[in-house]
Amino acid sequence: MPLEQPLTAIPERVEHLNRRYQHHAASAVLKRAMSDPQVGRIAMVSSFGAESVVLLHMVAVVDRTTPVLFIDTQMLFPETLEYQQEVADKLGLTDVRVIRADAAEVEAEDPYGALNLRDTDACCDLRKTRPLEKALSGFDAWITGRKRFQAGSRATLDFFESEEDRRIKVNPLAHWDKQDVQDYLINNRLPRHPLVAKGYPSIGCRPCTSPVKPGEDERAGRWRGSEKVECGIHIVDGKMVRTGAAQ
């Protein structure tokens, strides 16, 4: 049903969308967000990591032509690159866009591929944050796989968020718990990332990801030995999010 008075300011649209869809299930939120004029031009951003296939499958069910932005930092595990191809083919995704950092910027800022050894934030900014920002410039909204259970900072995560009043973030799985994810994987017979079976429940770039020991937090293997827990693509109140899992 068309709105009598379309909202234009992003914070107002976000508030309206959250109120409108607050009692909807994840699949319904996603389906409606992908066609709601109040959301606008939308893309999905995916790491093709440990749990990414769940949301990718949900998107494919609605519209396989949806743009999917995959950030290839050129430091990913070979298994992730192979898995990306496998999942895209299995789900029939027709518009997977591989996003990489500008070659000139990499040559100027990280010519030896060792920036992560002295400044992980700078490395993530160069290889993830800036390339993604450029890739999202033509969209009004993007779909993320973030969930409330992942961190205390996400305990009140809504289906829709304002990203610095520039774009809308859509979080269809915001209210899911860990078991919901596992049940969806099993019920839909979705392929698992091969590194999950090798002790990697959270998967990022090869130099900054290590296996997780029994009893450790799932994120313990990301940037091990440092306080860093986010790559920086999620911004809250103008600042890089420092808690929770990036999806």
Side-chain angles (χ1 to χ4, degrees):
M1 181 180 295
L3 299 174
E4 294 181 3
Q5 295 182 330
L7 304 174
T8 54
I10 288 179
E12 292 179 46
R13 286 158 55 197
V14 165
E15 181 180 358
H16 175 84
L17 288 163
N18 278 320
R19 188 167 60 247
R20 190 175 175 193
Y21 297 128
Q22 62 180 322
H23 299 302
H24 286 63
S27 58
V29 169
L30 177 64
K31 183 176 181 178
R32 291 174 182 268
M34 290 170 66
S35 60
D36 194 316
Q38 293 296 297
V39 176
R41 297 164 299 174
I42 193 168
M44 178 180 176
V45 176
S46 179
S47 65
F48 285 81
E51 298 177 348
S52 298
V53 70
V54 168
L55 195 52
L56 286 163
H57 179 266
M58 294 174 71
V59 167
V61 168
V62 178
D63 184 359
R64 290 191 174 112
T65 69
T66 302
V68 176
L69 310 183
F70 169 57
I71 307 175
D72 178 6
T73 64
Q74 298 180 290
M75 288 189 167
L76 299 175
F77 288 92
E79 290 90 339
T80 296
L81 299 176
E82 293 171 4
Y83 183 65
Q84 183 267 310
Q85 290 286 343
E86 176 190 357
V87 170
D89 291 344
K90 180 178 177 62
L91 300 183
L93 299 169
T94 63
D95 192 6
V96 177
R97 306 180 186 183
V98 180
I99 311 302
R100 296 188 179 95
D102 181 89
E105 292 180 4
V106 172
E107 178 62 28
E109 300 175 41
D110 192 14
Y112 304 110
L115 180 59
N116 65 286
L117 297 177
R118 62 180 175 81
D119 193 336
T120 53
D121 284 345
C123 186
C124 287
D125 181 63
L126 170 65
R127 297 178 180 274
K128 291 184 180 180
T129 309
R130 277 184 264 163
L132 178 60
E133 180 59 31
K134 292 177 183 177
L136 284 172
S137 62
F139 297 98
D140 304 304
W142 55 296
I143 302 164
T144 90
R146 295 185 304 153
K147 310 164 192 71
R148 288 185 173 187
F149 79 82
Q150 291 172 324
S153 63
R154 297 182 181 182
T156 59
L157 186 69
D158 285 324
F159 286 133
F160 300 89
E161 294 178 277
S162 171
E163 183 182 46
E164 297 184 304
D165 298 347
R166 295 179 296 124
R167 276 184 297 270
I168 294 175
K169 282 185 185 176
V170 184
N171 310 304
L173 307 183
H175 301 285
W176 278 26
D177 60 26
K178 188 69 176 177
Q179 192 58 51
D180 291 326
V181 175
Q182 296 305 310
D183 288 346
Y184 193 96
L185 283 164
I186 295 169
N187 293 337
N188 291 281
R189 300 179 180 179
L190 298 175
R192 306 294 183 101
H193 193 299
L195 289 179
V196 171
K198 297 180 180 180
Y200 293 83
S202 180
I203 304 159
C205 292
R206 182 166 36 84
C208 298
T209 306
S210 59
V212 171
K213 301 175 183 178
E216 285 189 314
D217 181 84
E218 287 190 358
R219 296 283 292 177
R222 303 292 294 276
W223 302 286
R224 188 179 289 278
S226 73
E227 295 182 359
K228 181 179 174 68
V229 291
E230 275 282 6
C231 65
I233 66 173
H234 294 296
I235 304 294
V236 175
D237 296 329
K239 299 179 179 179
M240 183 189 300
V241 176
R242 279 303 191 184
T243 57
Q247 292 291 323

